[in-house]
Amino acid sequence: KSCSIFPGIRNIVDSNRIHYVDPFGTLFSGIARPVNGKKTTVFIGGRDLETTKNIIRTLQPNYYLPHPMDPKVGSFYSGTVNTDLIAEEFIAGLLPDYEVIDVYSIASSAAFNLGLLGVNVFLVINNISNGPLVDEIKTIGCAMGCRVISA
């Protein structure tokens, strides 16, 4: 099973395996953001485990969400979150508790969406993240309000 927030849009996964979630409708409506000075960090993992490990060592995020298409590989990090929620849902659950939420991702469509929620989104580019696809991701991410950083 795979989750998507884009109903009716073709996905790399067969449509009979997709579960559609509407995080921008009922999930985020009425969430009051606190003014409490509390900050947290979330890293949305990628498919390359070694790259993910290196970035986690650098960032030391409070929460690590493994890539949903990979087996649960996060046992190497104490901040790993094993959940059936998609990243948008998990982070929505943090909104009432934190004034500042910094989300880091290698290249996740979830990161693009999260910028709409008032969280800070950073696309992490490293020495193996190059080429036309990465350039396109950076362009889309910046257009969606993400910031690009190196790690």
Side-chain angles (χ1 to χ4, degrees):
K1 180 171 109 171
S2 181
C3 292
S4 175
I5 64 168
F6 303 107
I9 295 182
R10 190 170 167 220
N11 195 301
I12 61 169
V13 177
D14 292 331
S15 59
N16 61 343
R17 291 184 48 219
I18 297 177
H19 168 72
Y20 291 101
V21 178
D22 180 14
F24 300 107
T26 58
L27 188 59
F28 297 137
S29 62
I31 294 177
R33 297 294 298 276
V35 180
N36 60 11
K38 290 175 64 178
K39 176 182 177 178
T40 194
T41 55
V42 179
F43 176 64
I44 301 171
R47 299 290 306 264
D48 183 305
L49 183 57
E50 287 309 308
T51 299
T52 294
K53 285 181 177 181
N54 289 335
I55 292 171
I56 286 175
R57 277 189 214 102
T58 300
L59 297 175
Q60 294 293 303
N62 299 104
Y63 302 99
Y64 160 53
L65 299 172
H67 191 281
M69 297 299 283
D70 285 340
K72 301 300 183 206
V73 294
S75 60
F76 65 89
Y77 188 66
S78 63
T80 300
V81 177
N82 290 309
T83 179
D84 290 329
L85 299 175
I86 62 173
E88 293 92 336
E89 290 177 298
F90 176 79
I91 292 167
L94 300 175
L95 291 174
D97 298 323
Y98 295 96
E99 182 175 352
V100 177
I101 300 174
D102 289 343
V103 177
Y104 298 86
S105 172
I106 298 171
S108 169
S109 61
F112 301 153
N113 304 324
L114 290 165
L116 302 172
L117 302 177
V119 301
N120 303 313
V121 181
F122 302 91
L123 297 178
V124 181
I125 305 300
N126 62 20
N127 58 349
I128 64 166
S129 306
N130 54 39
L133 179 59
V134 172
D135 291 339
E136 188 172 334
I137 289 168
K138 289 193 295 192
T139 300
I140 294 168
C142 289
M144 297 291 290
C146 303
R147 289 174 253 176
V148 177
I149 63 169
S150 297

